[in-house]
Amino acid sequence: MGVVDVIWMVLILGAAGYLFYRSVIKKKGHCPGCDHGSCDKK
């Protein structure tokens, strides 16, 4: 693996981790358009 491959891997894993945090942990699994979990879509 070269340095460029490692940089790409870090960027991709960082973006995936951020999306996971934003969509699952921060919103606790609620739908993307709903910040409070009050919508009826599950």
Side-chain angles (χ1 to χ4, degrees):
M1 260 193 196
V3 174
V4 176
D5 293 329
V6 173
I7 291 172
W8 275 112
M9 186 172 43
V10 168
L11 288 174
I12 291 170
L13 290 175
Y18 171 73
L19 289 174
F20 177 77
Y21 167 75
R22 192 182 74 177
S23 63
V24 175
I25 296 173
K26 187 176 176 186
K27 292 189 178 188
K28 294 180 177 62
H30 298 299
C31 59
C34 184
D35 287 333
H36 304 292
S38 61
C39 65
D40 58 352
K41 295 181 181 177
K42 295 280 179 187

